[in-house]
Amino acid sequence: MIQEPIKQDTPQTNTINPFLQFLSITGITIGLVIVFSAIAAGVIMSVFGMKTLTDTFAFNTGNPHLGSALWILQIVSTTIPLFLAPVIFARLIMNDTRDYLKPTFNFNPVFLLLIFTIMLFSNPIMEALTNINQRLVLPASLKGLEEWMRAAEQSAQKATEAMLSMKNIWSMLWAVFVVGLLTAIAEEFLFRGVIQTIFVRLTKNKHAAIWITAILFSAFHMEFFTFLPRLFLGAIFGYFVAYSGSIWTGVWGHFLNNGSAVVITYLYNQKIVKLNPDDQHVFNLWAYTFSLIIVLFLLFIYRNVSMQKKPR
């Protein structure tokens, strides 16, 4: 495990108990998601009609408006509330955006290059974790739960395929903007900004806070057969933010992961590249081992850079 130093938050001055803080951000997030989901449903019904609305929630790929409706659902019911919730919490509940959102750009730009390299070399690790995850089988007594989990995974995959059926470069750039950038900002503000900070104060342990937040981040996506690779991503995003003291390092890593997946999917669908982004048997054991060593080494360098003086 990579040890200290990790950027320290300023001393806590708000008297709200961290557990109550967690309940508050959870309640705010759920409430906003419900409200904006209703708004999204109203927009879809107004623009495309009731049939498209029902087809959207049923992931009926035969509906020609499904892709557009899913984009509305994604932005209005998920991206917007996930961004608003941490901002409202940090500004109105805690009155402390510096610690809970960490919006500073005052970090060493070397971090951006290191993050790019870490994300590049982490692909074999992600593949290995995905393959392990796919082999997990629940006991016979929980067969019904496993079937529900697989059905939920397949529904999420159908939605992703419908949204990423990119016909031209403009639709690809739109997907990079929404899935890559906007999603990265919203989720990092919520998870690595607010929730990770709350668990630092609740557990008094930065590493525990990073991994608890990563577990919640992965569980939030409700895609159980890709739980482990998303847990890994959540953890390294957490260390990016913790060592740099800035949310934007986590956003950068998150954007690289999501944006590159969109671009590769587009290039594959256009038959520009032969590498299938859904192929989880690209690397071998040596590549997995090399990837793990390189990522840990680069994180060690990242940690050492964080010990140096910040640029003025």
Side-chain angles (χ1 to χ4, degrees):
M1 179 64 67
I2 298 172
Q3 298 298 326
E4 301 294 342
I6 294 181
K7 302 298 181 186
Q8 299 296 320
D9 293 330
T10 55
Q12 183 176 352
T13 56
N14 196 296
T15 57
I16 300 177
N17 180 278
F19 182 69
L20 293 179
Q21 293 179 30
F22 178 67
L23 292 180
S24 296
I25 186 60
T26 301
I28 292 169
T29 303
I30 293 173
L32 287 174
V33 167
I34 291 172
V35 169
F36 279 88
S37 293
I39 293 173
V43 171
I44 293 170
M45 187 168 61
S46 300
V47 175
F48 300 112
M50 189 65 189
K51 177 70 165 60
T52 296
L53 178 62
T54 55
D55 285 346
T56 299
F57 287 104
F59 300 110
N60 180 4
T61 55
N63 190 311
H65 302 301
L66 179 65
S68 298
L70 284 172
W71 280 117
I72 294 172
L73 195 65
Q74 166 72 24
I75 295 170
V76 178
S77 72
T78 304
T79 306
I80 292 176
L82 291 191
F83 175 75
L84 289 179
V87 172
I88 290 171
F89 177 84
R91 290 184 65 88
L92 302 183
I93 306 297
M94 303 305 298
N95 192 28
D96 184 359
T97 57
R98 182 174 65 173
D99 282 349
Y100 284 88
L101 298 182
K102 299 175 174 59
T104 180
F105 286 95
N106 185 26
F107 58 87
N108 195 321
V110 172
F111 285 144
L112 301 180
L113 178 59
L114 284 170
I115 291 169
F116 178 86
T117 312
I118 289 169
M119 297 307 298
L120 179 65
F121 279 97
S122 67
N123 284 307
I125 299 176
M126 297 283 290
E127 179 182 287
L129 291 172
T130 299
N131 288 331
I132 292 170
N133 214 152
Q134 293 291 335
R135 293 191 188 101
L136 295 179
V137 178
L138 295 180
S141 59
L142 297 176
K143 184 175 178 58
L145 175 61
E146 181 177 340
E147 290 175 349
W148 174 80
M149 289 162 59
R150 291 194 183 278
E153 189 93 3
Q154 289 169 2
S155 295
Q157 192 169 17
K158 283 183 182 179
T160 301
E161 289 173 356
M163 293 171 66
L164 297 184
S165 57
M166 300 163 282
K167 306 300 183 187
N168 53 56
I169 193 169
W170 301 111
S171 58
M172 184 269 286
L173 291 174
W174 166 254
V176 168
F177 175 67
V178 176
V179 177
L181 183 60
L182 296 187
T183 298
I185 292 173
E187 292 187 356
E188 290 307 303
F189 269 51
L190 177 61
F191 287 97
R192 257 60 63 179
V194 168
I195 294 177
Q196 185 164 297
T197 300
I198 290 173
F199 277 101
V200 165
R201 295 180 173 179
L202 185 63
T203 65
K204 312 297 183 186
N205 185 301
K206 301 271 186 173
H207 300 289
I210 287 169
W211 285 95
I212 292 171
T213 303
I215 291 170
L216 294 174
F217 169 72
S218 188
F220 166 80
H221 287 81
M222 298 289 287
E223 295 178 28
F224 303 102
F225 293 97
T226 52
F227 183 89
L228 292 179
R230 196 170 280 110
L231 170 65
F232 168 77
L233 284 174
I236 61 173
F237 296 160
Y239 281 108
F240 292 162
V241 174
Y243 284 129
S244 69
S246 171
I247 198 67
W248 299 111
T249 54
V251 170
W252 174 234
H254 203 143
F255 169 76
L256 289 173
N257 178 75
N258 290 13
S260 62
V262 170
V263 172
I264 292 171
T265 298
Y266 172 76
L267 294 176
Y268 178 75
N269 290 342
Q270 296 295 317
K271 304 188 185 305
I272 297 173
V273 298
K274 294 182 179 180
L275 178 63
N276 186 344
D278 295 326
D279 187 355
Q280 297 301 326
H281 298 89
V282 175
F283 303 103
N284 56 29
L285 180 60
W286 290 108
Y288 299 152
T289 305
F290 180 73
S291 172
L292 180 61
I293 293 170
I294 292 297
V295 167
L296 290 176
F297 176 69
L298 291 172
L299 282 172
F300 177 76
I301 294 175
Y302 190 98
R303 174 246 189 198
N304 284 349
V305 171
S306 74
M307 298 171 63
Q308 301 171 6
K309 256 188 190 179
K310 286 184 178 181
R312 294 189 181 278

